[in-house]
Amino acid sequence: MTPSLEPHKINIAIDGHASTGKSTTAKELAKRLGYVYVDTGAMYRAMTLWALENGWIGPDFLDKEALIASLDRVDIRFRFNPATGKSETFLNGINVEDQIRRPGIADYVSRVAEIPEVRRKLVEIQQQIAREKGVIMDGRDIGTVVMPNAELKIFMTASPEIRAERRFRELREKGMDVDYEEILRNVRERDRIDSTRKASPLRKAGDARLLDNSQLSPQEQYDIIMNWVKEVLREKGGI
Ligand code: DC
């Protein structure tokens, strides 16, 4: 058999705490490497929007049974938008990319993401995408559950205060009227729920590389990760 001249592609799993810049990093890497980027948080957010639209979740209630019974009727997928050069999230055929980024979703998403039936459905879709190599996926359980065989696993973290500040600035730039203390509370609460839930809690895979970016500039962080990518690609004969 003739050896393939295609460069060897790897899968990259990026996990970590909320607002650590996972998606910005993953998108940059995907662009640089020509890989497919999958934002799994967007899928949990879309599921949360579905629950909200149907009135199954509120400040003090969650109708898990109704949500679980509806799972066969939920279609969540990504479509590449050539006009923006970005992949956008669709819920049952409707573009919900902007809606799922609103703080109203962040308030409820952890509670939806802790339902095992929801996770099972979304993990199945994610694993199907990962079958083709050349995928960069970010989330909470990518290195541990979704792509346990990913060639490169990265676990990103930063202090809660720094993450809240970054989120605060980001939302303000989008013209939203937000409160820093409230964002900090939300970051802490999400950490707590994400790390202590029974179904696939957020934890670093044993073979993941830890990246605390509290004191790193975006460029410094990018350089560290790119060096890891090159190292793994060299090992795999990809470059
Ligand atoms: O990364 P994000 O903030 O968009 O994620 C939204 C929520 O979804 C977050 O509270 C944790 C959850 N999530 C998860 O449980 N598993 C994933 N693979 C991705 C996100």
Side-chain angles (χ1 to χ4, degrees):
M1 207 167 60
T2 331
S4 167
L5 292 176
E6 277 281 296
H8 186 92
K9 286 192 169 179
I10 58 169
N11 279 345
I12 303 176
I14 304 184
D15 289 301
H17 292 105
S19 302
T20 43
K22 296 186 296 296
S23 65
T24 310
T25 308
K27 274 181 222 160
E28 261 174 30
L29 272 183
K31 209 166 163 191
R32 166 79 179 74
L33 299 167
Y35 280 18
V36 172
Y37 164 59
V38 182
D39 174 357
T40 65
M43 301 170 83
Y44 289 94
R45 286 168 179 269
M47 192 62 90
T48 305
L49 179 62
W50 169 252
L52 273 166
E53 279 176 347
N54 284 284
W56 295 323
I57 193 165
D60 46 17
F61 67 92
L62 168 60
D63 189 343
K64 275 191 207 176
E65 281 69 34
L67 177 56
I68 293 167
S70 78
L71 288 178
D72 284 345
R73 291 185 280 124
V74 193
D75 179 69
I76 295 171
R77 62 182 70 205
F78 298 106
R79 275 190 215 147
F80 186 74
N81 180 344
T84 58
K86 288 180 188 157
S87 160
E88 295 172 339
T89 315
F90 282 73
L91 169 63
N92 289 342
I94 294 167
N95 187 337
V96 293
E97 188 57 33
D98 289 338
Q99 258 172 298
I100 61 170
R101 307 290 166 194
R102 299 203 180 127
I105 296 287
D107 291 343
Y108 297 115
V109 63
S110 290
R111 283 162 57 210
V112 169
E114 65 185 348
I115 303 172
E117 288 82 355
V118 167
R119 302 202 70 83
R120 207 169 303 137
K121 176 176 172 109
L122 298 185
V123 167
E124 215 170 273
I125 302 171
Q126 292 152 11
Q127 288 182 330
Q128 217 164 339
I129 302 172
R131 247 173 248 148
E132 296 277 324
K133 289 277 173 172
V135 168
I136 304 181
M137 213 176 266
D138 80 337
R140 304 294 188 285
D141 59 343
I142 310 304
T144 51
V145 177
V146 181
M147 305 200 301
N149 298 323
E151 286 83 354
L152 175 61
K153 298 181 185 177
I154 300 168
F155 189 91
M156 289 176 55
T157 191
S159 76
E161 290 77 12
I162 285 189
R163 288 184 280 137
E165 202 185 303
R166 289 177 186 160
R167 188 72 136 201
F168 175 74
R169 268 191 267 129
E170 196 184 311
L171 294 172
R172 282 286 285 266
E173 272 162 26
K174 285 185 185 158
M176 291 185 205
D177 181 24
V178 282
D179 174 55
Y180 170 79
E181 288 303 326
E182 201 178 310
I183 293 180
L184 180 60
R185 264 198 304 280
N186 181 269
V187 164
R188 288 213 167 101
E189 181 62 4
R190 283 215 278 163
D191 282 359
R192 191 188 63 74
I193 301 181
D194 290 347
S195 319
T196 57
R197 69 175 175 226
K198 279 209 197 79
S200 314
L202 169 66
R203 64 180 176 82
K204 181 183 161 301
D207 52 354
R209 300 172 194 226
L210 181 68
L211 189 88
D212 183 332
N213 63 21
S214 303
Q215 308 297 333
L216 295 179
S217 71
Q219 186 62 46
E220 285 169 329
Q221 163 172 299
Y222 182 78
D223 291 344
I224 292 173
I225 296 181
M226 231 21 231
N227 280 334
W228 287 343
V229 171
K230 285 180 188 157
E231 188 188 313
V232 174
L233 278 172
R234 258 196 307 274
E235 270 169 30
K236 306 282 167 194
I239 49 173

